[in-house]
C-alpha cells in the first residue's frame, strides 16, 4: 500500500512537528455530508495513551485492529524498534492473520488491497492446538510461578489478603522464594504442608486451591520468556479468552509489569550507549505498544491489581521507558478517572449513555469548545466514524477510520451472512 503523502498543512496528531516518518494513517477527515477529506496521521514514535470508546457495535475493536495494522505497516526502520502486544480477552484478534474478504469493495474504494498480517499467538494448550490446525504460529502461554506474589494468589482465589487461607499461601510462597530461585506449585504445596504454625483445616483449603490452580496448566517453573512475547516488528496476541477473569487480571498484571521493568532497564542501557557516543541500538525489548480491548476489565474504578501496573507505571511514567497503550472500552464512565486524564488521544465513536458522556465531559480539554455530547451527536450513526481529541495539537476532529485490510473478528454473530 502506497502511503499517502503528508501535506505541510496537516497536523500529525500526537506530535508537535507537522511532518516526518513513523506515522499511522488511520483514516480520513469526515465532513458532515459524509464526504471524506485529507488523510489523518497519528504519531507512532512517541509513547501515547490512546483511548477508544463508543457504544456497542460502532467500531472500537475494528479501530484497534486498524491501529495494529498501521503499526505493523510502518517503514522498517521504525517498525523494527516497536513491538505490539495485544491483550485479547475475547479471542477475536487471530483474524489479523486472514485477509479481509468481507469488505473488498470498501477497501478498493479507499485505494487499498486486503492483506493478512504475520502474528504470533500465546494462549491455552487447547487454543494453541486449534490455532496450529489453522496454520497459525501459536505457543502455550506459561506464567513463571515465582512471579506471583501473595496479592496475585489472593486475587486468583478471590480471597481478601487478610484471609487465613491467603495468609497461609503467602507464607508458603515466601518460604519457597527463600529456599529456591525457581519453583512450581508442587513446591509451594510442600512448604505449606511443612508449616507447623497452620491449622490442618486451613492447610486443606489452601492446598485444594493450589491443586486447582495447577489444573489450569498455566503456571510453570520457567514460564514464557518476556523476550519471546515482545519482539520488534511483530504482532503478538495474548489470547487470554479461555481463562477466568481473576486469572486474566493476574496474567496482565505480571506480563505488563515485566515489560515495564525491562523497558526501564533498556532505557538505562540506551542512555549509557548515547554517553559512549555510539548510535547503534541494541534493544532487547523494543518500545512496546500494548493494546487492550475491553479495558474496563483491567482499569475499573474499584481496586484492581492491574491498575498498580498500568496506571502507576505505564501511564504515569511510561514516557521515559517508551511504553504506549491503546485501550478500548464501551464504558468510559466505569474506568478509573485517571485513565481518562492520562489519555492524550481519545477516539470516540457513537456514544449515547449520559453517564459515559458525562465522564468524558469531566476531562474535556479546554481547547474543546462546547459539550462533548453535542460534538458526538454530529458524528451520527455511521460505523467507524469518530470524534478525535488530540492533546498535543489541541484539536478536535471528526474522522472516518479506514477499512481493515485483515479480517475483523469481532463482528456480532448474525443469522444472515453479509458481505459489502
Ligand atoms: N471503520 C469502519 N469501516 C467499516 N466498517 C466498520 C468500521 N468500523 C466498524 N465497522 C463495522 O462495524 C462492526 C462493529 O464494529 P466493532 O466490532 O469494532 O464494534 P465494537 O465497538 O468493538 O463493539 P463491542 O462493544 O460489541 O465490542 C464491524 O464488524 C464492521 O462491520
Ligand atoms: Mg469490540
Amino acid at each position: 500500500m502506497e502511503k499517502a503523502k503528508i501535506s505541510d498543512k496537516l497536523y500529525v496528531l500526537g506530535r508537535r512537528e507537522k511532518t516526518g516518518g513513523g506515522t499511522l494513517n488511520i483514516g480520513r477527515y469526515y465532513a458532515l455530508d459524509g464526504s471524506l477529506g485529507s488523510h489523518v496521521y497519528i504519531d507512532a514514535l512517541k509513547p501515547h495513551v490512546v483511548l477508544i470508546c463508543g457504544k456497542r457495535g460502532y467500531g472500537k475493536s475494528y479501530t484497534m485492529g486498524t491501529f495494529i495494522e498501521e503499526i505493523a505497516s510502518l517503514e522498517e526502520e521504525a517498525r523494527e524498534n516497536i513491538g505490539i502486544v495485544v491483550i485479547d480477552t475475547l479471542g477475536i484478534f487471530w483474524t489479523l492473520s486472514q485477509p479481509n474478504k468481507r469488505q473488498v469493495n470498501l477497501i478498493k474504494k479507499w485505494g487499498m488491497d486486503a492483506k493478512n498480517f504475520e502474528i504470533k499467538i500465546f494462549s491455552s494448550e487447547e487454543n494453541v492446538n486449534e490455532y496450529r490446525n489453522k496454520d497459525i504460529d501459536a505457543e502455550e502461554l506459561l506464567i513463571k510461578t515465582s512471579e506471583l506474589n501473595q496479592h496475585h494468589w489472593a486475587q486468583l482465589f478471590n480471597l481478601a489478603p487478610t484471609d487465613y487461607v491467603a495468609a497461609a499461601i503467602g507464607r508458603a510462597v515466601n518460604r519457597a522464594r527463600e529456599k529456591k530461585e525457581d519453583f512450581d506449585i508442587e513446591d509451594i504445596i510442600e512448604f505449606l504442608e511443612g508449616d507447623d504454625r497452620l491449622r490442618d483445616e486451613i492447610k486443606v483449603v489452601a492446598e485444594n486451591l493450589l491443586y486447582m490452580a495447577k489444573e489450569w496448566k498455566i503456571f510453570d517453573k520457567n514460564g514464557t520468556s518476556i523476550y519471546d512475547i515482545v519482539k520488534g516488528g511483530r504482532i503478538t496476541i495474548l489470547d487470554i479468552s479461555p481463562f477466568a477473569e481473576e486469572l486474566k487480571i493476574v496474567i496482565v498484571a505480571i506480563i505488563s509489569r515485566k515489560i515495564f521493568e525491562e523497558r526501564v532497564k533498556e532505557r538505562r542501557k540506551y542512555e549509557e550507549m548515547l554517553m559512549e557516543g555510539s548510535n547503534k541500538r541494541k534493544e532487547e525489548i523494543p518500545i512496546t505498544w500494548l493494546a487492550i480491548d475491553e479495558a474496563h476489565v483491567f482499569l475499573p474504578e474499584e481496586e484492581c491489581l492491574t491498575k498498580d501496573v498500568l496506571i502507576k507505571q505505564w501511564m504515569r511514567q511510561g514516557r521515559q521507558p517508551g511504553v504506549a497503550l491503546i485501550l478500548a472500552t464501551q464504558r468510559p464512565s466505569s474506568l478509573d478517572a485517571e485513565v481518562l486524564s492520562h489519555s492524550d488521544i481519545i477516539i470516540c465513536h457513537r456514544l449515547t449513555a449520559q453517564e459515559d458522556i458525562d465522564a468524558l465531559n469531566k476531562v474535556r480539554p479546554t481547547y474543546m469548545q462546547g459539550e462533548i455530547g453535542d460534538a458526538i451527536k454530529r458524528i451520527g450513526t455511521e460505523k467507524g466514524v469518530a470524534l478525535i481529541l488530540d492533546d498535543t495539537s489541541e484539536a478536535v476532529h471528526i474522522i472516518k477510520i479506514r477499512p481493515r485490510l485483515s479480517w475483523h473478528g469481532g463482528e456480532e454473530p448474525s443469522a444472515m451472512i453479509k458481505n459489502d
Side-chain angles (χ1 to χ4, degrees), residues 56-57 59-62 90 92-93 293-294 328 330 408 410-411:
R56 188 135 194 228
K60 298 179 297 295
S61 307
Y62 194 102
L90 299 172
I92 59 175
F93 283 95
D293 202 355
E294 309 291 328
Q330 211 181 100
H408 169 57
E411 185 126 34

Side-chain angles (χ1 to χ4, degrees), residues 333-358:
S333 62
S334 63
L335 292 180
D336 185 291
E338 231 187 282
V339 177
L340 289 164
S341 58
H342 280 297
S343 305
D344 61 329
I345 296 172
I346 298 182
I347 299 180
C348 186
H349 289 286
R350 183 170 166 75
L351 198 63
T352 49
Q354 194 55 44
E355 53 184 333
D356 291 325
I357 295 173
D358 290 344

Side-chain angles (χ1 to χ4, degrees), residues 30-68:
Y30 179 87
L32 291 179
D33 63 0
S35 61
L36 298 174
S38 323
H39 289 263
V40 180
Y41 297 92
I42 294 189
D43 170 69
L45 299 183
K46 295 260 158 59
H48 298 281
V49 178
V50 180
L51 174 66
I52 305 166
C53 51
K55 74 187 284 187
R56 188 135 194 228
Y58 280 87
K60 298 179 297 295
S61 307
Y62 194 102
T63 299
M64 182 172 269
T66 301
F67 252 91
I68 296 166

Side-chain angles (χ1 to χ4, degrees), residues 123-256:
S123 191
S124 65
E125 187 184 16
E126 203 182 340
N127 275 17
V128 166
N129 291 334
E130 275 185 39
Y131 285 131
R132 285 186 181 159
N133 286 339
K134 292 189 188 105
D135 268 341
I136 297 174
D137 186 4
E139 224 174 277
E140 240 177 284
L141 177 65
L142 295 170
I143 301 289
K144 194 176 165 117
T145 317
S146 60
E147 300 274 359
L148 278 82
N149 62 29
Q150 342 188 3
H151 299 288
H152 295 124
W153 288 108
Q155 159 81 35
L156 273 182
F157 304 132
N158 237 328
L159 300 168
T162 49
D163 187 289
Y164 285 124
V165 175
I169 295 173
R171 281 168 60 84
V173 169
N174 288 341
R175 234 20 241 292
R177 212 184 298 285
E178 277 164 27
K179 301 275 176 200
K180 295 181 162 190
E181 202 173 317
D182 302 322
F183 52 89
D184 53 26
I185 292 186
E186 295 279 353
D187 295 315
I188 305 177
I189 294 173
E190 215 181 291
F191 286 111
L192 184 84
E193 280 170 351
D195 190 340
D196 31 322
R197 282 186 62 191
L198 295 177
R199 290 204 308 271
D200 273 351
E201 58 268 38
I202 294 194
K203 276 190 193 174
V204 171
V205 179
E207 234 179 84
N208 255 344
L209 290 173
L210 289 168
Y211 275 120
M212 193 171 86
K214 196 167 169 252
E215 290 296 301
W216 299 334
K217 292 189 194 152
I218 187 159
F219 300 115
D220 175 68
K221 210 172 218 161
N222 302 311
T224 309
S225 160
I226 201 69
Y227 297 104
D228 288 335
I229 294 179
V230 194
K231 279 218 159 87
R234 198 182 68 193
I235 306 174
T236 302
I237 294 168
L238 301 182
D239 173 2
I240 53 171
S241 62
F243 306 121
E245 190 147 316
E246 289 79 13
L247 183 50
K248 285 184 177 127
I249 288 172
V250 168
I251 294 171
V252 173
I254 287 176
I255 291 178
S256 52

Side-chain angles (χ1 to χ4, degrees), residues 61-89:
S61 307
Y62 194 102
T63 299
M64 182 172 269
T66 301
F67 252 91
I68 296 166
E69 289 182 358
E70 278 293 314
I71 301 173
S73 311
L74 281 167
E75 50 275 48
E76 202 183 336
E77 204 189 346
R79 194 180 64 229
E80 65 185 18
N81 291 317
I82 300 179
I84 311 165
V85 179
V86 184
I87 303 295
D88 186 1
T89 52

